[in-house]
Amino acid sequence: MLDNGRRVTLDGSALRTTDVAALADRTAHPAPPDPKAYARAEQSWETARRLAATGRVYGRSTGVGANRTEDVGAAGADHGLRLLRSHAGAIGDPLPGREVRAMLAVRANQLLAGGAGLNPAVITALLDALDSGAHPVVNEHGAVGTGDLAALAQTGLALAGEHPWHCAPGGRAPAPLALDNNDALALISSNALTFGQSALALDELRRLLAASLPVAALSLLAVGGSAEPFAEPVVLARPHPGSAAAATRLRTLSGIPPRPTPPLGRIQDPYGFRCLPQIHGPALDAADTLDRVLTVEVNAAAENPLISIEDQAAYHHGNFYAAHAALALDTFRLAVLQTARLSTARLAALSEPDLTRLRPFLGDAAPASSGVMILEYAAGAALGEMRAVSHPASLGHAVLSRGVEEQASFASLGARQALRACTYYRQILACELVAAIRALRLRSLEPDPGLPLATAYHLAAEVLDPRMEDRPLTDDVGVAMGVLERLAGV
């Protein structure tokens, strides 16, 4: 639901990834653009038009790609529209509205950085669309990490009135704009869709990472696990920021003192509990790295050519190449995958009588009860899917446009893979949560009142079915998936 009380002002320099997600999800809407940034965009437009009229500027007075050596000439008055029409050939399913709105937010902000030389009326139109909930119909495939050319060309044609919009109830599409030769490449020379999708994936996976810690803490309580792995001396001995943050949060959730008393009996727990800070920590650090990379990108004037107002020049370059984002996305997905593996390890531990002192698979009193046995299979299947989308996209390779563009980052693929990973990770954590709550119920054990973990327990226990007999657990996992969002804030 749109929160009319929150506005995000775009200025080409201070947009955050969380702002992109809020604009995409319509929990915020755009304020009028920063006046100084808008004036700079106007100056950039005027500079670009002057340069294109007096010299050779790629994509304005020349063709693009391997056609860069061909002059458009005076007869090419429709070159810009032809460029948009030819590049608007994205294929595949239409993208969800939130992903397209994320692209619009990123692109509007990038244009306000003042290096594109684009008609500033485009910025106004993009912000109007965001405000009303309208978005152009954009298909999934058409980029390899060197610019979201097809998606942005479809957007350009929509702005020109030649491509359909999808409007929210009561919303409206922007009035058609007259775009000329100076506007086409200036609009599409960006990875705005990739960065918008990446911001959405980062936002969701960060929340799931936050939720995974109370889930793990509930599992730790269910098996009577040791608190020693989270002790402050252990953290200080190897002080990686993410690992320290994970251990500290586990202590806070469970009321563990900085120097806990060694447990009686079992000396060391399985890795699913003992190595949690060392495996969860890198995912937190990778999230921070990706956030820093995306923050640079969504505020960057990375269009080729760069129109420099100060130098009154057009600089041809390769800033559209998205290697930083591709590598940060690959690292992040692989790091989150490790935490998902740890969740399945804890799920297996919850089925083990030697750890829980309960019946195998948390079964009830019926002979050979299967309990949560199938959840290991279900979580394993989701983990397999997550592993597939965690394969490094940056290993891809492409030679395009008659060999002129002989490399590709495939950051666009990495962003889509990160979005898909969200679904599988949520399913895996939900399976663990169902088993952890069941084990605690069977042991008649709850976290101590007043602890954050007690809040997490009750949020889940209040909505999860308490029946212990063998039955389908599909609905239980679905309910648990919904609870994870609330656990992230515990």
Side-chain angles (χ1 to χ4, degrees):
M1 180 179 294
L2 178 64
D3 177 7
N4 289 315
R6 184 180 174 198
R7 293 176 176 267
V8 175
T9 300
L10 305 185
D11 63 2
S13 63
L15 187 66
R16 301 170 301 174
T17 57
T18 51
D19 296 329
V20 175
L23 289 168
D25 290 328
R26 305 202 71 213
T27 57
H29 64 167
D34 176 79
K36 290 183 179 179
Y38 194 84
R40 182 172 177 82
E42 287 184 315
Q43 290 179 297
S44 176
W45 182 47
E46 294 165 359
T47 300
R49 289 164 64 88
R50 184 164 53 252
L51 291 171
T54 58
R56 299 182 78 211
V57 180
Y58 176 75
R60 298 174 188 263
S61 55
T62 76
V64 298
N67 288 336
R68 72 196 185 285
T69 58
E70 293 193 30
D71 291 329
V72 173
D78 64 342
H79 170 62
L81 275 176
R82 287 192 292 109
L83 190 63
L84 291 176
R85 290 165 184 158
S86 66
H87 280 64
I91 61 174
D93 293 333
L95 290 172
R98 68 191 296 261
E99 295 179 29
V100 183
R101 287 193 295 271
M103 176 188 74
L104 299 184
V106 171
R107 194 68 192 110
N109 192 68
Q110 290 175 327
L111 293 171
L112 287 165
L118 179 68
N119 185 341
V122 170
I123 301 172
T124 302
L126 295 178
L127 295 180
D128 285 346
L130 278 173
D131 197 30
S132 72
H135 65 271
V137 175
V138 172
N139 299 88
E140 183 176 21
H141 300 299
V144 292
T146 57
D148 293 316
L149 303 177
L152 289 166
Q154 289 181 316
T155 303
L157 285 185
L159 291 170
E162 294 190 9
H163 187 77
W165 291 83
H166 182 279
C167 297
R172 48 161 176 67
L177 288 176
L179 302 178
D180 65 20
N181 289 0
N182 289 288
D183 299 322
L185 183 66
L187 174 63
I188 70 176
S189 183
S190 163
N191 293 285
L193 175 60
T194 294
F195 300 146
Q197 291 172 319
S198 298
L200 293 177
L202 173 62
D203 184 68
E204 185 169 355
L205 287 171
R206 267 183 160 166
R207 293 198 304 273
L208 290 173
L209 284 169
S212 73
L213 289 176
V215 173
L218 289 169
S219 296
L220 181 72
L221 178 63
V223 301
S226 172
E228 286 184 87
F230 317 109
E232 192 172 79
V234 174
V235 172
L236 294 176
R238 190 169 176 255
H240 288 294
S243 296
T248 299
R249 185 155 186 245
L250 254 295
R251 292 202 306 269
T252 301
L253 283 166
S254 303
I256 297 171
R259 286 164 173 78
T261 303
L264 297 175
R266 199 165 62 236
I267 294 296
Q268 289 192 154
D269 290 326
Y271 279 13
F273 304 101
R274 180 159 43 112
C275 296
L276 189 148
Q278 292 74 25
I279 295 173
H280 194 90
L284 298 180
D285 291 338
D288 290 343
T289 297
L290 178 58
D291 199 353
R292 286 193 296 271
V293 168
L294 293 177
T295 299
V296 170
E297 299 291 3
V298 302
N299 293 289
E303 299 86 3
N304 177 41
L306 172 68
I307 305 301
S308 172
I309 301 170
E310 291 76 12
D311 297 349
Q312 291 292 293
Y315 291 107
H316 299 86
H317 60 80
N319 268 348
F320 53 82
Y321 194 88
H324 283 89
L327 293 168
L329 283 162
D330 284 352
T331 299
F332 183 47
R333 291 196 315 282
L334 286 168
V336 175
L337 176 64
Q338 309 309 307
T339 73
R341 286 177 174 169
L342 214 62
S343 178
T344 60
R346 291 190 297 270
L347 176 58
L350 289 166
S351 296
E352 179 51 58
D354 289 345
L355 293 173
T356 63
R357 297 182 293 283
L358 298 168
R359 298 197 63 194
F361 308 110
L362 306 179
D364 67 356
S369 171
S370 294
V372 297
M373 178 192 292
I374 198 62
L375 292 188
E376 283 193 70
Y377 293 80
L383 183 65
E385 297 281 359
M386 190 172 174
R387 184 167 54 247
V389 298
S390 298
H391 183 81
S394 56
L395 291 176
H397 180 61
V399 178
L400 305 168
S401 195
R402 297 173 54 202
V404 172
E405 299 169 4
E406 71 278 24
Q407 176 69 299
S409 76
F410 283 95
S412 48
L413 174 59
R416 293 195 303 274
Q417 288 176 319
L419 283 169
R420 293 183 180 120
C422 297
T423 298
Y424 308 130
Y425 192 34
R426 187 179 297 274
Q427 292 170 349
I428 292 164
L429 293 176
C431 289
E432 181 188 356
L433 179 59
V434 169
I437 296 298
R438 183 184 179 103
L440 290 169
R441 282 170 166 165
L442 287 168
R443 293 190 61 189
S444 299
L445 181 63
E446 294 185 14
D448 291 339
L451 290 177
L453 193 60
T455 301
Y457 174 82
H458 289 294
L459 284 172
E462 286 169 4
V463 294
L464 285 173
D465 193 327
R467 293 177 297 157
M468 296 296 166
E469 65 266 24
D470 282 349
R471 57 186 176 80
L473 296 174
T474 303
D475 291 344
D476 299 65
V477 174
V479 169
M481 288 172 64
V483 173
L484 291 173
E485 194 70 30
R486 301 179 69 186
L487 295 189
V490 171

